[in-house]
Amino acid sequence: MSRFWSPIVEKLTPYVAGEQPKMTNLVKLNTNENPYPPSPKAIAAIQQSSQQHLQLYPDPNSDRLSQAIADYYQVDNDCVFIGNGSDEVLAHTFQALLNHQQPILFPDISYSFYPTYCSLYQIDYQKVALDTDFAIDPDDYKVANGGIIFPNPNAPTGRLLALEAVQKILDSNPDSVVVVDEAYIDFGGDSAVSLVADYDNVVVIQTLSKSRALAGLRVGFAIAQPHLIDALERVKNSFNSYPLDKLAEAAATAAIEDREYFEQSCQKIITDRETLTKELTTLGFDIIPSTANFVFVSHKTMKAEEIAQKLRNESIIVRYFNQPRIDNMLRITIGTTEQCRLLVTQLKKILK
Amino acid sequence: MSRFWSPIVEKLTPYVAGEQPKMTNLVKLNTNENPYPPSPKAIAAIQQSSQQHLQLYPDPNSDRLSQAIADYYQVDNDCVFIGNGSDEVLAHTFQALLNHQQPILFPDISYSFYPTYCSLYQIDYQKVALDTDFAIDPDDYKVANGGIIFPNPNAPTGRLLALEAVQKILDSNPDSVVVVDEAYIDFGGDSAVSLVADYDNVVVIQTLSKSRALAGLRVGFAIAQPHLIDALERVKNSFNSYPLDKLAEAAATAAIEDREYFEQSCQKIITDRETLTKELTTLGFDIIPSTANFVFVSHKTMKAEEIAQKLRNESIIVRYFNQPRIDNMLRITIGTTEQCRLLVTQLKKILK
């Protein structure tokens, strides 16, 4: 604390990101990155762009990328908003669309950045408890609110809310913005983008950090009707005119356009998730059905924290949350096929 | 306007960045970019990093870059804050350090993003008129305030405030944060970084977009005592954990470390600025002494707007501001030696 701080600074509880250790040779299954590299076309686009006028500002609106996303999802390009990672897109969304008189609603077990955004923009919120099986119940979102946000599939649970249930929440909240945070949707869920044409209150947020394997480049986007996108643009243009650099835009555009590579690498992860789920079950784990690139598990006899520590001793890092309701659970990212095998081998030793 | 907007959105007056036309073969002297490419070492660093695990998140703190800047300026690395362009660093600074009860102060002719940040964070401000010769008078900053910010050299004037005058402002405002926005300092000014050790209330903000020719990559930084940097970190970690991507960090680090290239390219621009200043004077222009990579000029007989239009007809774009006090002035970026020659040739024709 310093007397020079704006009053808000003291009240903040900054987000603590998953550990990014600088050692090599770790099996890093703690931050849900893609275990495979991005499309070779994305890397080629970077190498080409690196020679092209980096001394000039990028396109402030990232029009090429915006069009590629619009084409992919078959929406108009004025329904697309681009940001420096979906975290920035989320931040602008909280400020532009979720700051009203009533508290906003989100699940009690959810992306832990949400309460941080609320503290940054002084937004009241109310956590809505997930069911005992960690599912979102749409009926719980029938109370007065200033907006609703939830990840789908949810994180860290991995559990998907079916599109009909998302629609139920939208139907019962016609006067609230409902944000569906789809960071992990490409690993098995149906995107709410298909609802954008019919609902004037839905905002879908996605990232290129997971399914497109570009976490290192920071690209995220929102899709919604233009009147909502307009609010995001107004805030963005009052904050930073050029959030996306030239290389990130070029690589992201190439990654979106390379559908074949994208589908293949998602499929590999889905297949490995199903295999790993079976093997973990055999080892005595309870596993929440996942449509994400991670599984959320607890063991019938050994404590989560102990397993995490023992895996770490073998240079495998998984995510443990010391939080109510989930303090005996582990979130494990689906690594490469080989990393999944190595995990199972080590778990067998640890649990013997 | 939409009923879903947070109340703040309607009140915003978003910043309008200088035009970024998509045509080629323009002589683009309107947004103060460097006319020369970045250090070849920066480009090599991008090409190398493009092959290295782009699927993993970047270092959230950009430690390598932070250390390179600390080494360059001979400060501790906890005195350095990194952001996605100096615009993002400025935004966080307004929110973290300039939001107090009293209005903040900045010059009436200055970076036009400042009032926009104020509207975004609901900060009161008071504009302080520059002198008749467009200079900042430190005595004008002896009124009660919640903080002070000014570019040095100022933009769009290009005029430098001597370090002793900056010090005067700091001395008469021991209870306010004073932000010195040094986007253009490397083209002839002395940085206020040398004051950071002695003043607990100064924040110096710089960018790699101008002197390091990396506008396309979006990298900016602040240097201040750790208690001020801490406020920026708290806001940043409540907004976006990973503002800088891997390629931007790698390129920026290489650019900071390549001092020889940096000094040579700054020197070329300084030399061309002096030559251009003489030639424009001969052509009947009045020119404010500049230590930036642009000149701010008016012509004795022909209106600025008319000159701008006629240059545009010849595919040369300069910046015209339709604003009180400066509506007969043009801001002209120092291009390559050849672009400067071309500008003079065209001006000779236009003014004949």
Side-chain angles (χ1 to χ4, degrees):
Chain A
M1 177 57 193
S2 147
R3 69 202 167 94
F4 296 111
W5 290 11
S6 302
I8 177 92
V9 178
E10 203 185 347
K11 292 178 208 145
L12 296 175
T13 326
Y15 177 72
V16 180
E19 198 187 351
Q20 298 292 348
K22 284 173 186 169
M23 309 160 270
T24 44
N25 294 324
L26 276 180
V27 179
K28 198 172 167 302
L29 306 177
N30 69 324
T31 45
N32 297 342
E33 288 133 330
N34 201 309
Y36 302 107
S39 158
K41 291 179 184 166
I43 295 170
I46 291 166
Q47 298 190 339
Q48 198 189 7
S49 298
S50 69
Q51 308 276 9
Q52 289 170 348
H53 303 297
L54 287 183
Q55 69 271 33
L56 302 184
Y57 283 97
D59 173 5
N61 303 317
S62 304
D63 283 340
R64 270 194 63 210
L65 174 57
S66 174
Q67 190 59 54
I69 293 167
D71 290 347
Y72 181 84
Y73 274 116
Q74 303 276 297
V75 295
D76 289 337
N77 67 359
D78 60 356
C79 297
V80 180
F81 174 82
I82 309 279
N84 182 37
S86 64
D87 281 347
E88 185 181 79
V89 178
L90 284 165
H92 289 332
T93 303
F94 273 79
Q95 190 173 20
L97 296 168
L98 296 176
N99 200 347
H100 298 281
Q101 290 222 321
Q102 300 274 359
I104 67 165
L105 309 178
F106 49 81
D108 62 338
I109 296 163
S110 184
Y111 187 27
S112 54
F113 217 133
Y114 298 160
T116 296
Y117 293 129
C118 288
S119 73
L120 187 66
Y121 300 118
Q122 298 170 278
I123 300 167
D124 283 339
Y125 64 89
Q126 207 176 298
K127 289 186 179 181
V128 180
L130 294 179
D131 281 357
T132 45
D133 61 352
F134 293 117
I136 289 173
D137 180 348
D139 286 337
D140 292 339
Y141 291 80
K142 288 181 172 169
V143 294
N145 64 73
I148 294 170
I149 183 166
F150 54 89
N152 196 31
N154 197 3
T157 68
R159 192 184 274 280
L160 185 74
L161 190 66
L163 216 47
E164 303 73 52
V166 174
Q167 218 166 339
K168 259 192 179 173
I169 295 177
L170 286 162
D171 283 329
S172 52
N173 289 280
D175 296 320
S176 294
V177 171
V178 177
V179 182
V180 190
D181 180 359
E182 297 188 335
Y184 303 102
I185 196 71
D186 294 322
F187 301 107
D190 290 322
S191 173
V193 169
S194 61
L195 305 175
V196 164
D198 292 332
Y199 288 88
D200 66 356
N201 60 332
V202 67
V203 177
V204 179
I205 294 180
Q206 295 194 6
T207 177
L208 277 81
S209 297
K210 310 295 183 182
S211 55
R212 264 96 181 180
L214 286 174
L217 281 197
R218 324 302 308 121
V219 187
F221 60 92
I223 297 182
Q225 290 187 10
H227 67 105
L228 299 179
I229 295 299
D230 196 23
L232 298 177
E233 294 286 355
R234 288 177 66 85
V235 166
K236 172 250 175 191
N237 286 318
S238 301
F239 178 83
N240 185 2
S241 311
Y242 307 96
L244 227 68
D245 69 51
K246 288 189 167 193
L247 305 176
E249 191 194 357
T253 305
I256 295 280
E257 287 172 351
D258 191 352
R259 295 190 192 203
E260 195 184 338
Y261 183 92
F262 162 72
E263 282 161 16
Q264 280 172 3
S265 85
C266 288
Q267 194 48 56
K268 271 197 279 189
I269 291 165
I270 293 168
T271 305
D272 284 338
R273 180 184 68 212
E274 302 315 317
T275 309
L276 183 66
T277 300
K278 278 181 210 149
E279 291 177 320
L280 292 178
T281 308
T282 311
L283 287 172
F285 282 93
D286 291 319
I287 301 162
I288 296 178
S290 170
T291 56
N293 69 338
F294 57 85
V295 287
F296 200 48
V297 307
S298 63
H299 193 259
K300 290 189 203 307
T301 57
M302 193 180 282
K303 289 261 188 262
E305 198 170 5
E306 187 183 348
I307 298 172
Q309 188 51 55
K310 288 186 168 164
L311 284 173
R312 178 176 283 263
N313 296 344
E314 305 300 328
S315 301
I316 298 175
I317 307 189
V318 299
R319 188 98 188 248
Y320 171 70
F321 301 85
N322 195 359
Q323 281 171 28
R325 289 191 74 181
I326 58 170
D327 60 356
N328 196 29
M329 314 241 6
L330 295 176
R331 195 192 66 188
I332 305 174
T333 305
I334 309 301
T336 59
T337 309
E338 197 194 323
Q339 287 174 326
C340 290
R341 265 190 223 123
L342 190 69
L343 172 73
V344 170
T345 306
Q346 291 301 339
L347 282 172
K348 277 181 186 165
K349 283 189 205 163
I350 288 168
L351 295 164
K352 204 174 350 188
Chain B
M1 178 59 193
S2 145
R3 69 202 166 94
F4 295 111
W5 290 12
S6 302
I8 177 89
V9 177
E10 205 185 346
K11 292 179 209 145
L12 296 175
T13 327
Y15 176 72
V16 180
E19 199 188 350
Q20 299 291 348
K22 284 172 184 167
M23 308 161 268
T24 45
N25 294 324
L26 277 180
V27 179
K28 200 173 165 303
L29 305 177
N30 69 325
T31 46
N32 297 342
E33 287 134 331
N34 200 309
Y36 302 108
S39 158
K41 290 179 183 165
I43 294 171
I46 291 166
Q47 297 190 338
Q48 199 190 6
S49 298
S50 69
Q51 307 276 9
Q52 288 170 348
H53 303 297
L54 287 183
Q55 70 270 33
L56 302 184
Y57 282 98
D59 173 5
N61 304 316
S62 304
D63 283 339
R64 271 194 62 210
L65 174 57
S66 175
Q67 191 58 55
I69 293 167
D71 291 346
Y72 181 84
Y73 275 117
Q74 303 276 298
V75 296
D76 289 337
N77 66 1
D78 61 356
C79 297
V80 181
F81 174 81
I82 310 278
N84 181 37
S86 65
D87 282 347
E88 186 183 78
V89 178
L90 284 165
H92 289 332
T93 303
F94 273 79
Q95 191 174 19
L97 296 167
L98 296 176
N99 200 347
H100 298 282
Q101 291 221 320
Q102 300 274 358
I104 67 165
L105 309 178
F106 49 81
D108 62 337
I109 295 164
S110 184
Y111 187 27
S112 54
F113 217 134
Y114 298 161
T116 296
Y117 293 130
C118 288
S119 72
L120 187 66
Y121 300 119
Q122 297 170 278
I123 299 167
D124 283 338
Y125 63 89
Q126 206 176 299
K127 289 186 179 181
V128 180
L130 294 179
D131 282 356
T132 46
D133 60 352
F134 292 119
I136 289 172
D137 180 348
D139 286 338
D140 292 340
Y141 290 80
K142 288 181 173 170
V143 294
N145 64 73
I148 294 169
I149 184 166
F150 54 89
N152 195 32
N154 197 5
T157 68
R159 193 183 273 282
L160 185 75
L161 190 67
L163 216 48
E164 302 74 51
V166 174
Q167 219 166 338
K168 258 193 181 174
I169 295 177
L170 286 163
D171 283 329
S172 53
N173 289 280
D175 296 320
S176 293
V177 170
V178 177
V179 182
V180 190
D181 180 0
E182 297 188 334
Y184 302 103
I185 197 72
D186 295 321
F187 301 106
D190 290 322
S191 172
V193 168
S194 62
L195 304 175
V196 164
D198 292 331
Y199 288 88
D200 67 356
N201 60 333
V202 68
V203 178
V204 179
I205 294 180
Q206 294 194 6
T207 178
L208 277 81
S209 298
K210 310 295 182 181
S211 55
R212 263 97 183 179
L214 285 173
L217 281 196
R218 323 303 309 119
V219 186
F221 60 92
I223 297 182
Q225 291 188 10
H227 67 105
L228 299 179
I229 295 298
D230 196 23
L232 298 177
E233 293 286 356
R234 288 176 66 85
V235 166
K236 172 248 173 191
N237 286 319
S238 301
F239 178 83
N240 185 2
S241 311
Y242 307 97
L244 228 68
D245 69 52
K246 288 189 167 193
L247 304 177
E249 190 194 358
T253 305
I256 294 280
E257 287 172 351
D258 191 352
R259 295 190 192 204
E260 195 184 336
Y261 182 91
F262 162 71
E263 282 161 16
Q264 280 171 3
S265 84
C266 288
Q267 194 48 56
K268 271 196 279 189
I269 290 165
I270 293 169
T271 304
D272 284 338
R273 181 183 68 213
E274 301 316 316
T275 308
L276 183 65
T277 300
K278 278 181 211 148
E279 292 177 319
L280 292 178
T281 308
T282 311
L283 288 172
F285 282 94
D286 291 319
I287 301 162
I288 296 178
S290 171
T291 56
N293 69 337
F294 56 85
V295 287
F296 199 49
V297 306
S298 63
H299 193 260
K300 291 190 203 308
T301 57
M302 193 180 282
K303 288 262 188 264
E305 198 171 5
E306 188 183 347
I307 298 173
Q309 188 52 55
K310 286 185 169 165
L311 284 172
R312 178 176 283 262
N313 296 343
E314 304 301 329
S315 300
I316 298 176
I317 308 189
V318 299
R319 188 98 188 246
Y320 170 71
F321 300 87
N322 194 359
Q323 281 171 29
R325 289 193 74 181
I326 58 170
D327 59 357
N328 196 28
M329 313 240 11
L330 295 176
R331 195 192 66 189
I332 305 175
T333 305
I334 309 300
T336 58
T337 309
E338 197 195 324
Q339 288 175 324
C340 289
R341 264 191 225 124
L342 190 67
L343 172 73
V344 170
T345 306
Q346 292 301 339
L347 282 172
K348 276 181 187 162
K349 283 190 206 164
I350 289 168
L351 295 162
K352 209 184 327 189

